[in-house]
Structure formats: C-alpha cells, structure tokens
Amino acid sequence: MSPRSTWNEPESWDERFRAAVEQSARRRRARLAERQELARRRAHGLIDRNAARLAEVRRRARVRRDTG
C-alpha cells in the first residue's frame, strides 16, 4: 500500500480542525445561498401566478360588463 500524499494537508490537529471548520462554514454559506435563491424563485412564481389570476378575473369581469 502506498502512503497518502500529504503535501497540501495541514500537519497539526488544530490546523486540521481549523481547515475542517472553514470547509464546514463554506458549505453552510453555500446551502444558505441556495435556500435563499429557491425562496426568491418561489416568491416570484407566486407573484406571477397571482398576477395572471388577477388579470384573468379582470378580463372576465370586463367581458361580462361589455356584453351585459
């Protein structure tokens, strides 16, 4: 079995711990950004659907009034 290449790995336990904490923080920030983006898209989708629904209701009301 060949030894692992450790040229870019931290050497002491506190350096490894710090690197793990930084990596965890990066992942956490990435997940938060992804959740915020999904929430933004969901909100815009709701706004668009409600606007379309309102436009349809207004169109129907206008048609009924015109033919009445």
Side-chain angles (χ1 to χ4, degrees):
M1 202 183 238
S2 63
R4 265 183 7 161
S5 171
T6 59
W7 65 270
N8 64 345
E9 292 182 3
E11 295 193 15
S12 68
W13 71 268
D14 58 335
E15 289 174 347
R16 288 194 305 269
F17 179 74
R18 188 177 305 112
V21 168
E22 289 172 0
Q23 184 180 27
S24 176
R26 278 193 303 273
R27 284 193 210 134
R28 191 176 304 118
R29 282 191 302 270
R31 285 193 308 265
L32 177 62
E34 185 177 350
R35 282 194 302 270
Q36 288 174 340
E37 176 64 19
L38 289 174
R40 185 188 68 77
R41 287 182 184 179
R42 188 170 40 251
H44 281 282
L46 288 172
I47 290 168
D48 292 344
R49 283 193 297 277
N50 285 335
R53 190 177 301 129
L54 180 60
E56 180 62 23
V57 167
R58 286 181 176 171
R59 186 189 64 77
R60 287 182 184 174
R62 197 174 315 122
V63 168
R64 282 192 211 127
R65 191 172 40 227
D66 290 345
T67 59

